[in-house]
Amino acid sequence: MDHPNYSEGRITIDPAVCNGKPTLRGKRITVQTVLGYLSEGDSADEILAQYPSLDAEDIRACLRFATEVMSQRYDLAKVA
């Protein structure tokens, strides 16, 4: 079964991996984890030291993915 992938296959979504959250190349490292480190001020080099199976292009792919997600239009529904 094919699963969605983005950024030339660097970002994958598989319901059987990390509860379907977007991950890097099917590893158990989520885009959310990488973005969280970046948002706290960690550098790409610090993240790569923590996760040696990643490379710099993986981090750029996370940023591109987040940009793509945020470029979508969202309608908020009021909940009672």
Side-chain angles (χ1 to χ4, degrees):
M1 171 186 238
D2 288 330
H3 300 290
N5 70 74
Y6 305 89
S7 292
E8 295 82 44
R10 287 194 179 263
I11 307 294
T12 56
I13 300 173
D14 181 344
V17 177
C18 292
N19 295 316
K21 289 187 175 189
T23 61
L24 286 157
R25 294 183 277 132
K27 301 173 185 288
R28 295 189 176 277
I29 304 168
T30 64
V31 170
Q32 181 180 6
T33 296
V34 172
L35 294 175
Y37 279 115
L38 291 170
S39 73
E40 292 299 320
D42 288 2
S43 69
D45 288 337
E46 290 170 318
I47 296 167
L48 295 174
Q50 182 74 22
Y51 296 98
S53 65
L54 300 182
D55 60 40
E57 185 57 34
D58 290 324
I59 294 173
R60 287 189 290 274
C62 289
L63 292 170
R64 282 193 305 274
F65 183 78
T67 300
E68 185 178 316
V69 167
M70 294 310 301
S71 71
Q72 303 301 310
R73 177 180 160 79
Y74 297 95
D75 292 318
L76 299 177
K78 187 173 182 177
V79 179

